[in-house]
Amino acid sequence: MARKQFDLIVFDWDGTLMDSTSTIVRCIQAAARDLGLPIPDKSAASYVIGLGLQDAMQAAIPDVDPKYYPRIVERYRHHYLGQDKDLTLFDGVREMLDDLGQQGYFLAVATGKSRVGLNRALNSTKLLSLFDATRCADETFSKPHPAMLQELTRELGQEMQRTLMIGDTTHDLQMAINAGAGGVAVEFGAHPVDQLLALKPLFSASSIKVLHQWLNEHA
């Protein structure tokens, strides 16, 4: 059997494994509304998904007094925590992760979520045991800085050139480029397909089923 191309597969969370993009957009808009600030449209709010929370709010709602950003973050968390228990994984995620783990891949998560937020999501979906390592935006530099992938490869003793990053945003793909890892896009999350393809990912998947099939054949 031919040797695998990759040993470590790293997944983004929101918009890649969990169907949470529309909820995040609504919560960003609600946080701005609560404080009487300009409400970002869907495109602007979607674009910042994947960034650390403070960075995301500064990008989605720019040109306001900096004192507002901690308050925006607090209001966002208020709205999101009231809804995150109702969020679900995309169809086929659990089966894909089970299969990849059984094939001997190391699996990890690199996310713009906070550690508390990711732990809540991993516990509610019962996926914690499937991942060998995880990294969150409040623990290191936010995407697209390469630190998350650098730290994950070091922690797991893996080589960057045999690491694959999978995500739904240009932040994910640019992080992979910056780190020297492979990148695969998914087309059902926060960023438009044309923006993803502009970064020349190895593959662009239209569904988890298609992604799973490509990983089995090419990764």
Side-chain angles (χ1 to χ4, degrees):
M1 179 182 293
R3 188 182 183 213
K4 301 191 302 264
Q5 184 178 356
F6 300 101
D7 299 312
L8 169 59
I9 302 177
V10 183
F11 293 91
D12 171 57
W13 187 266
D14 289 306
T16 300
L17 298 179
M18 178 161 276
D19 188 6
S20 50
T21 300
S22 60
T23 297
I24 292 171
V25 167
R26 289 196 302 272
C27 291
I28 292 172
Q29 293 172 329
R33 187 178 299 111
D34 286 351
L35 298 174
L37 298 173
I39 299 172
D41 61 19
K42 180 179 179 181
S43 176
S46 295
Y47 179 76
V48 305
I49 293 175
L51 299 176
L53 201 47
Q54 183 88 4
D55 292 340
M57 297 310 165
Q58 290 175 351
I61 313 170
D63 304 321
V64 301
D65 191 317
K67 71 181 182 184
Y68 281 106
Y69 290 118
R71 296 169 63 188
I72 298 170
V73 168
E74 186 278 325
R75 294 313 299 165
Y76 169 83
R77 285 180 170 145
H78 167 78
H79 290 288
Y80 187 80
L81 292 176
Q83 301 183 57
D84 70 339
K85 65 183 181 301
D86 299 320
L87 297 175
T88 59
L89 299 169
F90 287 109
D91 289 343
V93 163
R94 192 178 305 276
E95 294 79 5
M96 175 182 67
L97 295 174
D98 279 333
D99 183 38
L100 294 173
Q102 289 170 11
Q103 291 184 55
Y105 291 100
F106 286 90
L107 302 178
V109 172
T111 177
K113 299 179 84 64
S114 67
R115 170 53 59 189
V116 171
L118 179 62
N119 285 350
R120 282 171 60 96
L122 288 170
N123 288 330
S124 68
T125 57
K126 296 179 172 57
L127 291 185
L128 179 61
S129 64
L130 296 182
F131 292 105
D132 298 288
T134 60
R135 198 61 91 249
C136 299
D138 59 352
E139 299 169 330
T140 188
F141 293 98
S142 183
K143 302 171 186 177
H145 192 285
M148 287 192 193
L149 292 178
Q150 292 168 341
E151 293 172 14
L152 287 168
T153 53
R154 284 199 300 268
E155 178 178 341
L156 297 172
Q158 300 303 302
E159 300 174 3
M160 189 64 75
Q161 62 267 31
R162 294 185 60 77
T163 296
L164 184 66
M165 177 68 207
I166 300 173
D168 67 309
T169 71
T170 56
H171 313 307
D172 299 308
L173 298 180
Q174 189 62 56
M175 177 174 66
I177 292 169
N178 293 344
V184 163
V186 298
E187 301 173 359
F188 41 82
H191 284 191
V193 176
D194 62 328
Q195 293 181 15
L196 299 172
L197 294 179
L199 292 177
K200 298 181 170 55
L202 297 173
F203 184 65
S204 184
S206 58
S207 68
I208 291 293
K209 180 180 179 180
V210 170
L211 174 63
H212 188 180
Q213 180 178 354
W214 185 88
L215 290 171
N216 279 336
E217 295 175 356
H218 299 280

